[in-house]
Amino acid sequence: MESNKKLLTVQEIRASDQGQQVAGKFLILDKVYRKTKDGKDMHNLKLGDSSGEIDAVVWENCKLTGSLENGAVIGILGDIGNFAGKTQITAKIIKVLAEEDPHLYLKQVENRDELIERFERFLKMPEDPYISMLIQEVFSKDIKEKFFHTPAAKRIHHNYPGGLLEHTVMVADLCLKAADAYPELNRDLLLCGALLHDLAKVDEYQNGITPQYTVEGKLLGHIVMGSEMISHSITNLRSEGLDFPQRLEWMIKHMLLSHHGSLEFGSPVIPLFPEAFVLHVMDNLDAKMYVFQAKIQDKDGEEEHFTNYDSFFAQQFFTYRYQYTDDEQKD
Amino acid sequence: MESNKKLLTVQEIRASDQGQQVAGKFLILDKVYRKTKDGKDMHNLKLGDSSGEIDAVVWENCKLTGSLENGAVIGILGDIGNFAGKTQITAKIIKVLAEEDPHLYLKQVENRDELIERFERFLKMPEDPYISMLIQEVFSKDIKEKFFHTPAAKRIHHNYPGGLLEHTVMVADLCLKAADAYPELNRDLLLCGALLHDLAKVDEYQNGITPQYTVEGKLLGHIVMGSEMISHSITNLRSEGLDFPQRLEWMIKHMLLSHHGSLEFGSPVIPLFPEAFVLHVMDNLDAKMYVFQAKIQDKDGEEEHFTNYDSFFAQQFFTYRYQYTDDEQKD
Amino acid sequence: MESNKKLLTVQEIRASDQGQQVAGKFLILDKVYRKTKDGKDMHNLKLGDSSGEIDAVVWENCKLTGSLENGAVIGILGDIGNFAGKTQITAKIIKVLAEEDPHLYLKQVENRDELIERFERFLKMPEDPYISMLIQEVFSKDIKEKFFHTPAAKRIHHNYPGGLLEHTVMVADLCLKAADAYPELNRDLLLCGALLHDLAKVDEYQNGITPQYTVEGKLLGHIVMGSEMISHSITNLRSEGLDFPQRLEWMIKHMLLSHHGSLEFGSPVIPLFPEAFVLHVMDNLDAKMYVFQAKIQDKDGEEEHFTNYDSFFAQQFFTYRYQYTDDEQKD
Amino acid sequence: MESNKKLLTVQEIRASDQGQQVAGKFLILDKVYRKTKDGKDMHNLKLGDSSGEIDAVVWENCKLTGSLENGAVIGILGDIGNFAGKTQITAKIIKVLAEEDPHLYLKQVENRDELIERFERFLKMPEDPYISMLIQEVFSKDIKEKFFHTPAAKRIHHNYPGGLLEHTVMVADLCLKAADAYPELNRDLLLCGALLHDLAKVDEYQNGITPQYTVEGKLLGHIVMGSEMISHSITNLRSEGLDFPQRLEWMIKHMLLSHHGSLEFGSPVIPLFPEAFVLHVMDNLDAKMYVFQAKIQDKDGEEEHFTNYDSFFAQQFFTYRYQYTDDEQKD
Amino acid sequence: MESNKKLLTVQEIRASDQGQQVAGKFLILDKVYRKTKDGKDMHNLKLGDSSGEIDAVVWENCKLTGSLENGAVIGILGDIGNFAGKTQITAKIIKVLAEEDPHLYLKQVENRDELIERFERFLKMPEDPYISMLIQEVFSKDIKEKFFHTPAAKRIHHNYPGGLLEHTVMVADLCLKAADAYPELNRDLLLCGALLHDLAKVDEYQNGITPQYTVEGKLLGHIVMGSEMISHSITNLRSEGLDFPQRLEWMIKHMLLSHHGSLEFGSPVIPLFPEAFVLHVMDNLDAKMYVFQAKIQDKDGEEEHFTNYDSFFAQQFFTYRYQYTDDEQKD
Amino acid sequence: MESNKKLLTVQEIRASDQGQQVAGKFLILDKVYRKTKDGKDMHNLKLGDSSGEIDAVVWENCKLTGSLENGAVIGILGDIGNFAGKTQITAKIIKVLAEEDPHLYLKQVENRDELIERFERFLKMPEDPYISMLIQEVFSKDIKEKFFHTPAAKRIHHNYPGGLLEHTVMVADLCLKAADAYPELNRDLLLCGALLHDLAKVDEYQNGITPQYTVEGKLLGHIVMGSEMISHSITNLRSEGLDFPQRLEWMIKHMLLSHHGSLEFGSPVIPLFPEAFVLHVMDNLDAKMYVFQAKIQDKDGEEEHFTNYDSFFAQQFFTYRYQYTDDEQKD
């Protein structure tokens, strides 16, 4: 960028004052074009980097080098404003940076290597030979490669490459903790369900910069697709001579099918035994913990200590974090 | 039976007056035992024949020959009474008739041969070669044999051997009629969905005198099981070299998965294209038409022209059938 | 229009590229005015012709001949743009065309004559003399004239003149098909309900270019208004000496009152006998089939094969139409 | 009765100790017959007098004079017992008292004359001539005669002859009080709605000892039937030359149609103007106040100060009545 | 203001024609800033005075004297326009009027003195000494001072200083009227509940020009806060030697806790005795009567006699007020 | 007991065959009396010991020594039968055993000492001085004494003395595990909420053999009562000079008020920060784990591997426990 202005991240821009001039390098996540009354072009952009997302408006007086396309990385110089309560940048100079790798501008899972290491450790943990062999069969090298780069959701939670890995590791960890608390739980079965529960998300989203459902994902859903993937793997194991227990197959598939917990959330059956129920609870806990953490960092709220109303969750979130210090200030 | 009393059907007994002595031959559908205050045996029986079901009480003063077991056929002589608004027989003489075939005492589908003929005609109807081959692959001789003797539900509708055949033929017929009304519907695809929609019920119920869910049926449900059976058949076809279209596979499986119409009724996805929606509507229509017809024949109601309140459907049913006659009596 | 630009329909404009200049003749369906910062006028228009609807913005630099009023026909030349994901025209030249008949720019029912012919045939079909006389009494020449030009709904389905006729013919056809499938249904009673079920819509909407509820329609609703219209006709028949059966009157009125199927959809009673239930199912089927067909033609969706999310139906629609061809391309 | 035992009311029997012998004269409200194991007759009776209802069992050792029929008055001597938490009488002697008037044994509205006097005063109150004439037209001498002897409901509240009168007077009184509090309310319109709101209940229940719905009542419901009765009266007034305002007709009918307050409670439209809303609130208030008062007098509860759980209202009721006295005992 | 234009109220502006130039003095209730394409400032303002609220847009060509801040009073000259169906002012001249008291521009309760007088009379009404002493204890001079200036809600109803007083007086009045209608109600207890039911709203909203929830209000809610305030006052009374009845304490607190009527509206318990129920009904009645009155005065609706659809109440409102006059015009 | 029959526990009796004679010592948990047709006494009893509950019927031919009262311990000899699918004992000999301690016949929490030890360790764990002091203040010696002997619920889960202790220890343990998984959680705050969340149950149930709600518990509920107990303790701490942070007080009370997770389950507010949410999830998890474990031990189910349908949870439970063994038998 020709401006020698310091480049800011989305997060830093959000923390800046209105009216200030800022610069940064971002990925175009979404683009809407419209014609102005003078017949010239304008665009509304959704920009992002690894620290977050922000809106931008591009009027015809913006100096534009290159073509604005979804998935392109741009350098931008502009002013911070506010529209309908949301911060946005009014662009003055934009330059498309073809040489930049868009993936570097996606929110990235932190500590992927550590997560992979924990995941691999979980894979080796079951002592039950049937469960152990099933997990090995499912997580082939190819599947793992996809698995490590898939988001856990299109919106709401862990919606970035590696999010599925991160979410799966957290759910598995929470399930093992529950098995510590309740010795009557079958530890291997529960872990198996945790590792496999969102498996089919590798096929539910299209390969692309931002997660998009596949046709298969929309017509069948990852819940049923996952159950069928398990069937496929068990068929393979049996064709190799393994006498995989029939009831165990049904129980593992039941855990996948029931992990949304209730019919209205898309599970065709509800959890009928404790391991299926614990898996549902922990899946739900980790998804919502992600939301709470994201909300606490969200500074858009117009009321002190509260986020704006979130219509999906039908609530505001309280962002104040109480922490004892020797000189804690009372209010 | 030693009594030379005329043998009545359940339907005839229900039409008899209270206090009257009756005799008949019935299947024991259910049995509950209890000890009386004098330490002697008594039983509550649910008896049935092809015309319906009725309760019976067996006190210790009943002359009993043989052992009362579920699935046994008995001859019974007793008095008609009424307990809590439901007709019941107080048994005086019971003789277990080991030589009788219990299946003859189950409600039977009417005109099975005609239904099979219509069903076979439907199987041959699709002109689309992929759909035609899939249907042939699925409905092997073995599957058809099971299919023709499976009930369509445990309770509520078509809950007798052959009920699945009857329901499937009706739904297929209604779907073809809808395709006549709406030429934009893909007739072959719709028929395919109709013929396959409840397929997995052949594995959802146990082989037995009265329909019982299998463990698999309860843990997975016939909706998901059916989708997986389609997968299996398509895999077979592909392994034989058929280039089965990928989207067609997803659409057929979507029709099975969505045929309950909404998440709260156990479909993990809702109908997203018109053939899936029509299948859902016609499945629902035929199931409820069965209920209406059964209710209209139900004479237990204490109010003229109305059945008793049915808590499952949360309504009474109006049983009066208006029919024009030259001398129709006005009320 | 002074431009010799080829005139496009709404449908053709929607298929054009953004930024292109287009021209057409349309009806003003809705108009919102606002003042710009320079104190000059601007308007947001909703334009329509028989092929669909589209938004337009009119800035002060637009050459405007005539006065923009709802219900007026205009010629327009402008550029295609996109605002918030919806296509819109930025107007350059607008000329009000006073001599044009607005009704020609409303979406028209196709094949009105054929529909009227089928409708008249249905009217003559019942053999039951009471039902036959009631239908003749209700569908006086005046009512039929209104009936043939009324929409079936304000939004959602068949929302154009003649839509009520089209919907009624389809529902009647579907009901007759159901009577073929279920011989126990009273064919005449069912057909009677189908022909009368939405009758009061002739008084629920105001006479005008676009359907607007009347005060009566909003305070009472077409369901109750229809039942009262039946009462009125039967009173007339009785005053002429016809001994119209009391229960038949109640049953026909019950069919009208219950045809929305459940209390939460505005029926004060739910269907209590099979003809009432079949009418409800077929009414619902035809309304939703209209929606499916409209959605399949809707090309606004940003995802391949899927429409945008429809918040009224709480779903996306799958628009891909599978059709076998010898050289069907697999994906 | 041949026993010189003091005759007790239902209320007095409920207050007696278990195991005690009691006598009384009651109406048979309901009867269920069953055959005992010895082939002799037994009956379960629901008995009532003006103070309440109680169950009775009649074994074959009971001395019975006359025939047990619904609607008959009997003298009974027996022992108080308890079955499944409900008090019941085990009959020793029963004598059918053919000469007794069953109506004297129905719960009676208190102070009917005073209620009629208040009701007649309300009828004369409106100053608006249209409203006044409508009320006079509707409440003909015949209708009033029926109106004064109709229950307001089959169960739940005011379910005895005169209950409709009592409920209507209370609702009218509450509405007038609301008009005092909110001067912007149209007092005459509100009173009109209150007096007419449940009018059609005179035709919703069959003439009989205990309220039974008519076929018309079940197929159409009193809400729609009432609206149609208003139409009929206004048609009469107009045929006599009165220029009854069209909008006023719709508003009065809207008040009847909407008085259940929401679709799920059977109103096809919801209250759209304040008088309709106030009527709904006061109707609901009076119905529930009846329930509260009945519950407070219900002494069946096994927990001190609380009734048993009522599954219709999904709650227990707190029956303790706090009242200040100089020596109020604290707990 | 330098313009000698007549100053209009919000209500008068709403009644003016589009395109007209207007002037007035208003309070800034809310402000959103955005950057225009030319890099200059623009603002969207929500302005208000005692007669209502209106939007304004401020472009960079507006002559602005002073700084636009929430809570500031401004003089404004501009043109009336319409954006998305809502009236708005396009500002030409704005002058911040630092000397004006913002409170004078808030909607004011009418007749505050009369309301206070009625309120004080209610406080003295109870004859029960415990209830009387509790009310005196709670309504200290300080609390009353706050109470008289608190709104009854953030939105929806009585959302202005003094609204809580007005609402409380109305609810108390309605409760006393109910006690007249139902002599079995404990008049003092009911009045006590009415006076105290929304007490904690004095701490639920922040001191400010427009009502804002406090952190305590959001984390605990006024329902629980009110119950705790009662506890506190009773503890005080007991520490002074008063033997406050235990059950009376629980009943008063129950009335506060249950006054929203059902769990889904935030009451942790539902009304279990009649006074609690009546309080809930009257609270609800007064809140909705406020809405009806506001809606009837709302002239934004595009359909004659109907407001626009209100998504909170999920309905339109009928604004026509029927009133008999000798020459009432029929429609 | 005069019979030298071996005494069986409830669990052993349930495992016995129908018709067999059994003997045992049990507590009378509930008693219903009724009069037989011969005027003699009979009773239905609910009996229990530490292993479970069972029904018994006592006819007049039973030899009875002593008086049957709730809370009495009896020796009983009788025959095992079955009524409506539930096992019951028909009593032949009953002797009231006045010298027995009823508490020994209540289900007891296992390992109370170990639980108390863990609980005491949790009490000492918080490092935050405010939280630590609050916990010490709340859990006085007296409160702890009650706390260790209170059930956690009247029905559903942990419904026996010590159940509250057991449930609290489990929830605290699960919360600490969650704090391990999510370092951003405030460990001390979360533990504080876990230890206090059901505190008020010590006052919600009456002292007695079986848990009964107090009047206070029903009118206010343990959720609000607990919040008020915290207020009381913090007031005490402040009166001793501790500067307890205001926001911390609100957050702890919010955790108590919101721990049921949603309004429809009786929380007046929903969890607004992560610690409140985790507490809700873990409370729910432990309650349902109790149910799953109880259901798995329930052998009443008529279908292999499934319990009977539970209408409270609206499901059956799958009781098969998969466990790998070298010679696992496949089915």
Side-chain angles (χ1 to χ4, degrees), chain A residues 48-151:
Chain A
D49 65 9
S50 60
S51 75
E53 301 180 356
I54 196 163
D55 292 335
V57 281
V58 186
W59 299 94
E60 91 288 358
N61 60 349
C62 172
K63 285 181 211 158
L64 175 59
T65 315
S67 164
L68 298 176
E69 300 296 341
N70 283 351
V73 177
I74 59 170
I76 183 170
L77 179 90
D79 294 326
I80 310 180
N82 182 301
F83 181 68
K86 295 182 68 176
T87 302
Q88 66 176 24
I89 305 172
T90 303
K92 290 173 168 171
I93 306 173
I94 289 181
K95 187 172 177 182
V96 176
L97 307 172
E99 71 282 9
E100 295 275 338
D101 177 1
H103 294 90
L104 301 179
Y105 291 85
L106 287 166
K107 183 164 178 352
Q108 291 297 321
V109 68
E110 292 170 28
N111 304 325
R112 189 197 304 269
D113 292 345
E114 186 197 319
L115 287 167
I116 290 177
E117 193 187 346
R118 289 178 72 188
F119 182 75
E120 296 284 3
R121 228 181 307 131
F122 289 148
L123 291 188
K124 296 192 191 96
M125 210 175 268
E127 297 176 2
D128 181 313
Y130 300 115
I131 289 173
S132 179
M133 275 181 278
L134 174 61
I135 291 175
Q136 301 302 329
E137 174 71 24
V138 169
F139 284 106
S140 65
K141 207 164 158 243
D142 282 3
I143 289 287
K144 277 200 278 196
E145 188 53 31
K146 284 176 83 173
F147 192 86
F148 294 163
H149 293 87
T150 295

Side-chain angles (χ1 to χ4, degrees), chain A residues 8 22 26 38 41 76-77 80 94 103-104 106 126 147 183 193 213-214 217 266 271 276 291 325 327:
Chain A
L8 301 182
V22 294
F26 308 113
D38 311 282
D41 301 297
I76 183 170
L77 179 90
I80 310 180
I94 289 181
H103 294 90
L104 301 179
L106 287 166
F147 192 86
Y213 287 104
T214 56
V291 173
T325 54
D327 43 41

Side-chain angles (χ1 to χ4, degrees), chain F residues 9-283:
Chain F
T9 64
V10 164
Q11 202 168 7
E12 288 163 343
I13 288 175
R14 287 190 172 284
S16 307
D17 294 333
Q18 287 199 10
Q20 203 177 317
Q21 179 169 289
V22 293
K25 297 204 292 186
F26 307 113
L27 179 66
I28 300 180
L29 295 169
D30 201 14
K31 180 192 65 162
V32 178
Y33 159 89
R34 63 170 166 147
K35 204 84 175 178
T36 68
K37 62 168 183 168
D38 311 283
K40 293 167 194 165
D41 300 298
M42 76 152 301
H43 293 86
N44 290 97
L45 305 180
K46 184 184 286 289
L47 302 178
D49 65 9
S50 59
S51 74
E53 301 180 358
I54 196 164
D55 293 334
V57 281
V58 186
W59 299 94
E60 92 287 0
N61 60 349
C62 172
K63 285 182 213 160
L64 174 60
T65 314
S67 165
L68 299 176
E69 299 296 343
N70 283 351
V73 177
I74 58 169
I76 182 169
L77 179 90
D79 294 326
I80 309 178
N82 183 301
F83 182 69
K86 295 182 67 178
T87 302
Q88 66 175 24
I89 304 172
T90 302
K92 290 173 168 170
I93 305 173
I94 288 180
K95 186 171 177 182
V96 176
L97 306 172
E99 71 281 10
E100 295 275 339
D101 177 0
H103 294 90
L104 302 180
Y105 291 85
L106 288 166
K107 182 165 179 354
Q108 291 299 320
V109 68
E110 293 170 29
N111 304 325
R112 187 195 305 270
D113 291 347
E114 186 197 317
L115 288 168
I116 291 178
E117 194 188 344
R118 291 178 70 189
F119 182 76
E120 296 284 3
R121 228 180 308 131
F122 288 148
L123 291 188
K124 296 193 190 95
M125 209 174 269
E127 297 176 3
D128 181 313
Y130 299 115
I131 289 174
S132 178
M133 275 182 278
L134 174 60
I135 290 175
Q136 301 301 330
E137 175 70 24
V138 169
F139 284 105
S140 65
K141 207 164 159 242
D142 283 3
I143 289 287
K144 275 200 278 195
E145 189 55 30
K146 283 176 85 173
F147 191 87
F148 294 163
H149 293 87
T150 295
K154 193 171 169 209
R155 285 203 196 81
I156 311 299
H157 76 101
H158 301 92
N159 53 340
Y160 44 80
L164 179 56
L165 170 67
E166 188 178 14
H167 172 60
T168 301
V169 166
M170 285 306 297
V171 172
D173 181 41
L174 290 165
C175 283
L176 290 173
K177 286 182 159 64
D180 290 342
Y182 298 102
E184 61 272 31
L185 291 171
N186 184 319
R187 188 182 186 82
D188 287 352
L189 179 62
L190 182 52
L191 178 58
C192 175
L195 294 172
L196 298 177
H197 80 285
D198 271 349
L199 173 66
K201 291 203 167 173
V202 299
D203 289 334
E204 200 188 19
Y205 303 115
Q206 290 177 353
N207 288 328
I209 302 300
T210 52
Q212 293 290 341
Y213 286 105
T214 56
V215 168
E216 185 186 10
K218 280 197 173 151
L219 290 187
L220 309 185
H222 78 275
I223 281 183
V224 170
M225 287 158 67
S227 174
E228 202 166 295
M229 288 170 82
I230 305 301
S231 284
H232 183 72
S233 292
I234 291 175
T235 301
N236 284 352
L237 290 174
R238 285 188 180 136
S239 72
E240 292 161 9
L242 185 73
D243 192 15
F244 200 92
Q246 185 56 75
R247 282 201 204 106
L248 177 59
E249 174 181 358
W250 293 334
M251 289 173 82
I252 294 171
K253 284 157 77 174
H254 176 82
M255 290 174 80
L256 264 78
L257 293 174
S258 69
H259 85 266
H260 280 198
S262 60
L263 302 189
E264 60 266 39
F265 290 114
S267 274
V269 286
I270 60 172
L272 297 181
F273 53 86
E275 289 81 6
F277 179 72
V278 170
L279 173 58
H280 156 60
V281 167
M282 294 313 184
D283 176 44

Side-chain angles (χ1 to χ4, degrees), chain D residues 182 184 275 286 293 321, chain E residues 182 184 275 286 293 321:
Chain D
Y182 298 101
E184 62 272 31
E275 288 81 6
D286 186 58
Q293 294 174 41
R321 299 302 295 152
Chain E
Y182 298 101
E184 62 272 30
E275 289 81 5
D286 186 58
Q293 295 174 39
R321 299 303 296 152

Side-chain angles (χ1 to χ4, degrees), chain D residues 239-307:
Chain D
S239 72
E240 293 161 10
L242 185 72
D243 192 15
F244 201 92
Q246 184 56 75
R247 282 202 204 104
L248 177 58
E249 174 181 358
W250 293 333
M251 289 173 81
I252 293 170
K253 284 157 77 175
H254 176 82
M255 290 174 80
L256 264 78
L257 292 174
S258 69
H259 85 266
H260 279 198
S262 60
L263 302 189
E264 60 265 38
F265 290 115
S267 275
V269 286
I270 61 172
L272 296 181
F273 53 85
E275 288 81 6
F277 179 71
V278 170
L279 173 58
H280 156 60
V281 167
M282 294 313 185
D283 176 45
N284 186 41
L285 174 59
D286 186 58
K288 293 224 177 129
M289 280 305 288
Y290 178 92
V291 173
F292 270 103
Q293 294 174 41
K295 288 290 180 180
I296 284 168
Q297 286 155 27
D298 171 358
K299 300 300 182 207
D300 271 358
E302 296 177 33
E303 295 175 60
E304 203 185 2
H305 303 315
F306 284 95
T307 64

Side-chain angles (χ1 to χ4, degrees), chain D residues 128-129 177 182 184 186 243 247-248 272 275 286 292-293 305 315-316 318 320-322 324 331, chain E residues 128-129 170 177 182 184 186 247-248 272 275 286 293 305 316 318 320-322 324 330-331:
Chain D
D128 181 312
K177 286 181 158 65
Y182 298 101
E184 62 272 31
N186 184 319
D243 192 15
R247 282 202 204 104
L248 177 58
L272 296 181
E275 288 81 6
D286 186 58
F292 270 103
Q293 294 174 41
H305 303 315
Q315 63 167 110
Q316 293 182 293
F318 185 57
Y320 173 75
R321 299 302 295 152
Y322 167 78
Y324 173 74
D331 46 322
Chain E
D128 180 312
M170 284 308 296
K177 286 182 159 65
Y182 298 101
E184 62 272 30
N186 184 318
R247 283 202 204 105
L248 177 58
L272 297 180
E275 289 81 5
D286 186 58
Q293 295 174 39
H305 302 315
Q316 293 183 291
F318 185 56
Y320 173 74
R321 299 303 296 152
Y322 167 78
Y324 173 74
K330 312 312 167 323
D331 46 323

